[in-house]
């Protein structure tokens, strides 16, 4: 069996918690078979969250479907999963998902805030005191136009009447 699914699991395991959950589940399945609902309860997930783990582990060849229980003529029943009988496959998977320890991130250098960046780029600086009223400041100098539909319904508005006079 190819190791390609193992690499896919490793590349999609974004968090250490996901890796730990997979390791816990594999250890538990090594002891006994489990229903999909039992896996969800064991991982403290919803059934859909547990299905994602089951799908990834099945694609990697680590667990397999053992049998169905409580089935009927039209319903297969509940799936029971077991660990694969190939211990080398399990060892290879566990070795592949272990993430190397990351080094501490480099110290972040101080960056000016967005407000400081915007003010530095425009060449204008203003100081607003704590008790000042905040007003919107228009950077764009184009005249304000009334929406044509609003103008058709309600007229040109007071700004246009003052300009016309």
């Amino acid at each position: 069996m190819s190791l390609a699914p193992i690499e896919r699991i490793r590349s999609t395991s974004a968090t250490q918690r996901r890796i730990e959950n997979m390791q816990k589940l594999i250890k538990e399945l090594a002891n006994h078979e489990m229903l999909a609902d039992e896996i969800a309860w064991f991982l403290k997930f919803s059934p859909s969250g547990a299905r994602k783990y089951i799908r990834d582990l099945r694609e990697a060849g680590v667990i397999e479907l053992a049998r169905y229980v409580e089935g009927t003529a039209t319903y297969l029943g509940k799936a029971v999963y077991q660990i694969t009988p190939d211990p080398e496959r399990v060892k290879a998977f566990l070795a592949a998902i272990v993430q190397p320890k990351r080094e501490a991130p480099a110290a972040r250098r101080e960056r000016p805030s967005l407000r400081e960046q915007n003010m530095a780029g425009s060449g204008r600086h203003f100081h607003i005191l704590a008790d000042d009223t905040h007003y919107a400041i228009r950077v764009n100098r184009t005249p304000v136009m009334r929406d044509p539909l609003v103008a058709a319904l309600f007229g040109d508005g007071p700004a246009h009447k003052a300009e016309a006079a």
Side-chain angles (χ1 to χ4, degrees):
M1 186 177 268
S2 117
L3 294 181
I6 291 176
E7 292 303 319
R8 189 183 75 74
I9 299 294
R10 182 176 184 179
S11 65
T12 59
S13 16
T15 63
Q16 189 63 31
R17 182 179 298 151
R18 181 168 168 77
I19 293 169
E20 290 168 1
N21 285 336
M22 283 189 176
Q23 291 168 336
K24 267 189 350 186
L25 181 58
I26 290 169
K27 185 185 284 187
E28 189 68 20
L29 282 168
N31 295 331
H32 59 86
E33 298 175 338
M34 295 175 79
L35 289 166
D37 293 338
E38 291 175 328
I39 292 173
W41 180 83
F42 177 75
L43 294 174
K44 297 178 178 77
F45 285 160
S46 65
S48 64
R51 278 193 298 268
K52 293 174 186 174
Y53 279 82
I54 293 168
R55 181 197 65 222
D56 288 345
L57 291 173
R58 282 190 74 186
E59 286 177 1
V62 176
I63 66 172
E64 54 191 36
L65 181 66
R67 64 183 179 283
Y68 290 101
V69 295
E70 302 174 12
T72 64
T74 58
Y75 171 63
L76 286 174
K78 297 178 180 179
V80 178
Y81 295 96
Q82 67 182 8
I83 195 99
T84 185
D86 181 13
E88 293 302 316
R89 181 74 181 163
V90 176
K91 284 181 189 174
F93 177 79
L94 291 172
I97 65 170
V98 172
Q99 299 288 325
K101 293 280 184 191
R102 296 183 179 168
E103 295 178 13
R108 299 179 87 188
R109 60 174 238 251
E110 284 298 315
R111 240 180 21 189
S113 69
L114 287 175
R115 182 174 176 214
E116 291 170 344
Q117 291 175 11
N118 288 338
M119 288 182 1
S122 67
R124 292 178 294 148
H125 300 274
F126 25 131
H127 177 72
I128 300 174
L129 297 174
D131 59 345
D132 283 349
T133 305
H134 294 276
Y135 296 100
I137 300 169
R138 286 189 40 230
V139 177
N140 190 350
R141 298 287 182 206
T142 58
V144 176
M145 301 294 293
R146 194 164 209 182
D147 183 78
L149 183 59
V150 173
L153 292 172
F154 301 105
D156 286 335
H160 289 286
K161 289 178 187 172
E163 288 175 8

